[in-house]
Amino acid sequence: MDTQRQRIALTGDRPTGKLHLGHYIGSLKQRVDLQTSADVLIMIADGQALTDHADRPETVRAHILEVLLDYLAVGLDPNSTTIFIQSKVSALTELTSYYLNLITWNRLKHNPTVKLEIQQKGFGDEVPAGFMIYPVSQAADITAFDADIVPVGDDQIPMIELTVEIVRKFNRLYKKEVLKEPKALVPSIARLPGIDGKAKMGKSLKNAIYLSDTSSDLEKKIKQMYTDPNHTKIEDPGQVEGNPVFTYLDAFATDHLHVQSMKEHYQRGGLADVKVKQYLFEVLNTFLTPIRERRKALSDDVTYLWGILKQGTLIANQRASQTLNRVRSAIGIDYPI
Ligand code: TRP
């Protein structure tokens, strides 16, 4: 008999937009691959989304099913993966409140991902307090389910580091191995650049290709794509490193030999950007067509979609409340009333 305990994987996404190729490379692909070997939980992080969308709750609400559709379209199977809604699992907010006492304000202020987001979102001095502490609520999300692994892009590494700190502090302070230390599972291409060549593809950066984009959207976006700015004449040698068109090919093309020969040709000179882009369009359209079709086939059955979330949230509540009981008793606030 197999006595090895299955590893537990937990991740999530904020439902503030549809998911894009950056999400796929950063985490969705890993989740799909893990489904057969691990116990996978996926959280639609509406609570975290509200930390910078308190004034736009309708955006968050509208994207719950959109994100779920993206999950199902890429092949996450609700029969083997637990998909749930963060705000419907109240144990998570209670855990957050206890963890907040284990970490300093100063520590939170120096989180590099949070700092970058504050800049990008233009908060200035008006950073919502909930936003500053979202990494602590993320530690609650991860530990509530005893996750061993967290499949995420590299921007989430500071969150996992903070989670490990909280776990160690908790177990040390309350003298018991109550919480489990997680590890980040970061893919080899940890970050897909935007079509504008910026380091990260992001909804708010308006440089994303969505899993739900039509083939004509896709064609337009690829035509606009940033390449090597010094490759002005076809016969000029072009640069492959840092050229997003080639980064995308590395991430999505299956014919690696063909990509390699295109790279060599481009570097030598004589290969036009339009030619490379044409090939990229073929590759991405082949990848996205079945995803688009599955998404469309499922999108009308709203009852089915909410049913998946209801079932997943039921399981998530059972599991998280067990952790919460352990936490309360370790702290010593498990009163007999
Ligand atoms: N911070 C993640 C994002 O911005 C979403 C998220 C919330 C998450 N809780 C999580 C990811 C727990 C991994 C584990 O997309």
Side-chain angles (χ1 to χ4, degrees):
M1 205 181 76
D2 184 7
T3 51
Q4 225 192 345
R5 200 190 56 83
Q6 240 195 342
R7 286 182 312 164
I8 302 171
L10 178 123
T11 49
D13 300 280
R14 298 179 199 172
T16 54
K18 293 180 181 181
L19 302 184
H20 51 61
L21 296 181
H23 291 113
Y24 185 80
I25 292 300
S27 169
L28 292 174
K29 188 174 188 295
Q30 288 64 252
R31 301 178 199 180
V32 174
D33 294 343
L34 277 167
Q35 281 188 120
T36 47
S37 63
D39 172 10
V40 181
L41 294 120
I42 299 177
M43 186 183 72
I44 302 187
D46 62 336
Q48 191 175 107
L50 285 171
T51 65
D52 69 330
H53 279 69
D55 55 344
R56 283 162 293 166
E58 60 290 341
T59 302
V60 176
R61 187 186 176 115
H63 285 94
I64 302 264
L65 293 191
E66 296 294 344
V67 168
L68 175 63
L69 280 167
D70 284 328
Y71 289 163
L72 301 175
V74 296
L76 288 168
D77 174 5
N79 294 314
S80 58
T81 294
T82 303
I83 307 176
F84 67 97
I85 300 182
Q86 185 182 33
S87 71
K88 297 287 283 181
V89 183
S90 51
L92 299 175
T93 48
E94 189 174 335
L95 285 174
T96 304
S97 72
Y98 303 136
Y99 294 173
L100 277 168
N101 304 325
L102 306 181
I103 212 83
T104 65
W105 185 244
N106 209 35
R107 176 77 178 79
L108 290 179
K109 276 198 313 208
H110 293 108
N111 183 308
T113 301
V114 171
K115 273 165 63 177
L116 182 69
E117 281 179 294
I118 289 173
Q119 231 180 49
Q120 287 172 344
K121 294 175 196 292
F123 281 142
D125 289 335
E126 307 281 301
V127 188
F131 188 81
M132 284 307 293
I133 67 154
Y134 91 69
V136 181
S137 96
Q138 195 155 331
D141 304 334
I142 295 167
T143 55
F145 301 98
D146 294 321
D148 303 281
I149 40 177
V150 188
V152 280
D154 63 357
D155 61 318
Q156 298 294 304
I157 289 174
M159 313 308 171
I160 317 299
E161 285 170 354
L162 183 80
T163 304
V164 169
E165 264 179 60
I166 290 174
V167 167
R168 290 187 182 160
K169 182 85 189 273
F170 188 101
N171 291 346
R172 188 164 17 97
L173 201 59
Y174 302 116
K175 301 183 179 59
K176 219 169 162 188
E177 292 297 304
V178 177
L179 301 176
K180 197 193 283 171
E181 274 186 36
K183 278 200 175 63
L185 179 70
V186 179
S188 52
I189 302 178
R191 188 181 290 209
L192 202 67
I195 56 170
D196 55 359
K198 289 220 178 83
K200 197 182 162 189
M201 183 177 281
K203 180 186 70 82
S204 48
L205 305 170
K206 297 199 166 36
N207 62 4
I209 293 174
Y210 292 92
L211 295 169
S212 47
D213 276 352
T214 62
S215 65
S216 74
D217 292 337
L218 180 66
E219 201 174 356
K220 265 184 245 147
K221 287 182 184 179
I222 291 177
K223 274 197 185 134
Q224 291 166 23
M225 250 176 106
Y226 175 92
T227 60
D228 173 1
N230 300 318
H231 186 238
T232 45
K233 289 198 218 82
I234 295 176
E235 57 277 17
D236 287 346
Q239 183 135 10
V240 162
E241 291 80 40
N243 186 334
V245 178
F246 285 102
T247 312
Y248 287 20
L249 284 176
D250 283 337
F252 291 97
T254 45
D255 188 347
H256 304 295
L257 284 176
H258 187 57
V259 173
Q260 189 50 38
S261 82
M262 282 187 108
K263 281 182 181 174
E264 284 161 16
H265 193 178
Y266 193 80
Q267 283 168 321
R268 262 196 324 271
L271 181 59
D273 282 301
V274 271
K275 285 274 164 57
V276 190
K277 287 182 170 185
Q278 243 160 34
Y279 182 57
L280 179 62
F281 172 74
E282 276 168 44
V283 164
L284 285 182
N285 206 38
T286 305
F287 170 72
L288 288 175
T289 299
I291 294 179
R292 222 182 269 136
E293 280 168 5
R294 236 172 294 152
R295 200 179 196 287
K296 192 161 185 308
L298 293 166
S299 62
D300 287 335
D301 200 347
V302 173
T303 312
Y304 167 73
L305 296 172
W306 283 113
I308 291 174
L309 295 173
K310 186 170 183 180
Q311 179 58 23
T313 302
L314 193 78
I315 295 171
N317 266 307
Q318 281 163 357
R319 294 175 65 162
S321 63
Q322 283 172 12
T323 309
L324 181 60
N325 286 339
R326 264 170 27 221
V327 161
R328 293 180 62 99
S329 100
I331 301 176
I333 53 171
D334 52 339
Y335 309 116
I337 52 163

